[in-house]
Amino acid sequence: MYRTHNCGELNIKDVGKEVILSGWIQKIRNLGSLFFIDIRDYFGITQLIISKKSVKKNFFLGKEYLIQVKGKVVERLSKNYNISTGEIEISIDHIELLNSSLSLPFTIENKTDGNEEIRMIYRYLDIRRNPIKNNLIARHNLSLEIRNFLSKNGFLEVETPVLINSTPEGARSFVVPSRTHINKFYALAQSPQLFKQLLMIGGIDKYFQIVKCFRDEDSRSDRQIEFTQIDCEMSFVKVHDVLVFFEHFIKHIFKKIKNIQLDSFPCISYFDAIKKYGTDSPDIRFNMSFVELNDLVQKKDINFLKKQELVIGIKVERFQDNNNNNEINSFLKKIEKKNFFWIKYLYDKTLLYSKQKFLNDKIIKIFIKHFEAIPGELLFFSYGKKRDTRKELGKIRSKIADFLNLKNYKIFKPLWITDLPLLEWEEKSKKYKSVHHPFTSPKEEDIYLLEINPKKIRSKSYDLIINGIEIGSGSIRIHNKKIQNLIFKHLGLSQKEIESKFGFFIKAFEYGIPPHGGIAFGLDRLINLLEGNDNIKNFIAFPKNNYGKDIMINAPSFLEKEKLKELHFR
Ligand code: ASP
């Protein structure tokens, strides 16, 4: 028997028991005639006390050596109330080495000296550390809660294939050469999109799957080339039904996992989000929404701004209370020459402002009045072409929130963004591209725009944004063969291509396809957000690095000539 108990379960009630424990050595203290050893396993840490006499000569122990010990539970003299085993220790009469360890590349403690790279190479050692282990436990608990909730609500988990064909999900696919079918390739699924729709046609009614997806994109700290989706689909639903159900789902998760009661999710259209925040994934933990000033500028005849396509501003409350004045000032200085200006209204009522060549006290006062600004506040303005002006001010809004520490990771503010555009023009390929994917339904009232102004078509799509991060995205799907064909055509697919790539799918439309829609949430992002971390890698057991490499197993790697030959590469 390797153990009678684990290293996290013995306590004062067990005093007097004879026990056997196995674990890794976390710490050794040599007190002359005695050793104190902390051993650790998945469950916790237990202190051992061993007299030197009971240890054989030349018996060496070091950190992370794996030992098995036999002894008696005794009450500790100096207790540690921070851990559950802190009131006892084991007085050891027998110790056995199960395995030794090399000296460690980094310290295996809650706080480690290992950088990300070394921790990735020795990920199994990193996983021994509580922060990473606890993250994996948190992820497990989240997945379990998701499975339970969705199952209870009538969703069936169905596995869909990974080796499929390349689909137009918006990213590049990873491809896998076929050995048995010369010159042919599989593609790894970017998502189960087509299959979940086919399941609806198959009458499954409500589907979900916690599923790995693969996209050949540049990795970033918040994006992995293989990642996990909570993929869902429902039949006989409209946008409203999906939003109501999944708002309930997200609220349930936050309540169960974090004991947080979320407020109702606001719902704003893509167009309004861009107008108000300059981005389709606004962080609404803070306000600072855009105020459009073109009318004011015309009315007050402010020459310097009159000809601009758009003039917008934001008000930053309690700006003067910030603790990052130097950083902010150097930031304001850095962007001075761009299409921005700012007004600081100080507590002593002094007015400071930039672009003094074009502005004067009279103009400044017009803005102060318009914004109803009070001392201590900052007004920040952006002007120029509509799109850039909004985008730039959106970035600055977020930056100012960073400076003012407004992004409290313990506060969660979800919102739905709806009615995203159906298509966007891609300059490089000179083609329209789906904003979501080609199976997203246009809004009926906008279909006529296909021939006139495709960019203006709104779709029945929605994104769930929490704290400025896209956590989920989905849509009501097209369930009409004609419209699906039309969309494919507008994406530049010829009839032949439609037939070869999606013939099977379009065919299925002709056997009584139900109206349906769904959504997919990013599990890695969700758990990262819930746990207030800022690196999804810490929630993935074996993540890729920022260049898409697994530096532990050294993937990707070259294939041997023989294997290449087998796959028909010369
Ligand atoms: N398949 C979509 C995606 O991966 C999600 C959906 O539309 O349900 O983004």
Side-chain angles (χ1 to χ4, degrees), residues 143 190 369 394-395 481 557 561:
S143 297
Q190 291 190 31
K369 186 161 171 235
K395 283 192 211 152
K481 184 180 163 180
S557 57
K561 266 205 180 113

Side-chain angles (χ1 to χ4, degrees), residues 169 190-193 196 213 215 227 229 231-233 436-437 440 470 473-475 477 518-520:
E169 197 80 53
Q190 291 190 31
S191 86
Q193 186 60 38
K196 66 173 172 174
C213 299
R215 294 186 190 171
F227 59 98
Q229 281 191 344
D231 192 41
C232 308
E233 198 73 9
H436 190 40
H437 51 58
T440 295
E470 188 192 301
S473 146
S475 58
R477 326 298 183 188
I519 188 163

Side-chain angles (χ1 to χ4, degrees), residues 34-149:
L34 286 175
F35 285 121
F36 279 105
I37 300 179
D38 286 348
I39 56 165
R40 181 197 67 237
D41 65 6
Y42 175 79
F43 306 93
I45 287 182
T46 300
Q47 180 167 292
L48 316 175
I49 176 162
I50 310 172
S51 78
K52 239 181 205 159
K53 277 188 282 173
S54 56
V55 179
K56 278 187 236 136
K57 256 204 183 138
N58 299 332
F59 187 73
F60 179 78
L61 293 176
K63 277 193 178 177
E64 298 306 312
Y65 276 47
L66 185 65
I67 55 171
Q68 184 189 31
V69 294
K70 197 163 148 279
K72 196 175 187 174
V73 183
V74 295
E75 186 171 352
R76 257 204 232 184
L77 280 179
S78 61
K79 300 193 170 52
N80 174 1
Y81 293 103
N82 293 325
I83 56 172
S84 63
T85 59
E87 288 180 81
I88 55 108
E89 59 199 3
I90 317 294
S91 170
I92 298 303
D93 47 50
H94 183 76
I95 182 162
E96 201 170 312
L97 184 64
L98 296 180
N99 250 322
S100 62
S101 166
L102 292 176
S103 65
L104 297 167
F106 53 87
T107 48
I108 302 185
E109 308 259 349
N110 289 358
K111 263 206 168 340
T112 179
D113 54 359
N115 63 27
E116 190 169 276
E117 185 171 328
I118 198 87
R119 286 172 40 221
M120 294 281 157
I121 295 174
Y122 296 94
R123 188 61 163 175
Y124 45 90
L125 293 179
D126 204 20
I127 291 171
R128 286 188 194 167
R129 295 172 50 239
N130 279 328
I132 301 295
K133 180 188 79 184
N134 290 339
N135 286 351
L136 297 183
I137 296 172
R139 186 181 174 117
H140 162 85
N141 290 337
L142 174 62
S143 297
L144 199 62
E145 200 50 55
I146 290 167
R147 283 208 162 87
N148 283 337
F149 180 87

Side-chain angles (χ1 to χ4, degrees), residues 420-431:
L420 285 88
L422 185 77
L423 303 167
E424 65 188 343
W425 180 251
E426 202 184 45
E427 212 32 65
K428 213 165 83 193
S429 60
K430 299 261 177 270
K431 276 183 187 167

